[in-house]
Amino acid sequence: MPIFEYLCKDCGRAFEKIVPRYDSIVDCAHCNSAKVEKQLSVFAVAGSSASGATDFAAPDGSCGRCGAAQPGSCALD
Ligand SMILES: [Zn+2]
């Protein structure tokens, strides 16, 4: 079964859950809220930028993932 990462809109916390189907309804692991949003996987985001998508493009060489002005100035790099 696939594992997906979710972000709860009620408590703002992220969690991962193994679900039987891609579109399965899940509740927040922390507060049981149903208002959770499935997050794109890290691999999917990296693939989209490599294929020319502009959503995460960094026009001036900035991080692009967190909005930091310089690469390496955020925790993600
Ligand atoms: Zn929650």
Side-chain angles (χ1 to χ4, degrees):
M1 290 188 288
I3 182 168
F4 292 108
E5 184 172 338
Y6 295 87
L7 182 65
C8 176
K9 291 185 174 179
D10 271 349
C11 69
R13 297 169 77 175
F15 62 95
E16 291 180 342
K17 196 150 188 165
I18 296 174
V19 295
R21 297 190 346 177
Y22 178 80
D23 57 352
S24 295
I25 303 297
V26 304
D27 293 333
C28 176
H30 303 289
C31 69
N32 293 321
S33 169
K35 289 193 237 173
V36 298
E37 185 173 80
K38 188 188 285 125
Q39 303 295 290
L40 291 176
S41 76
V42 172
F43 300 106
V45 172
S48 68
S49 65
S51 63
T54 56
D55 288 358
F56 291 88
D60 57 2
S62 63
C63 178
R65 282 178 286 180
C66 68
Q70 298 293 331
S73 60
C74 72
L76 295 176
D77 269 330

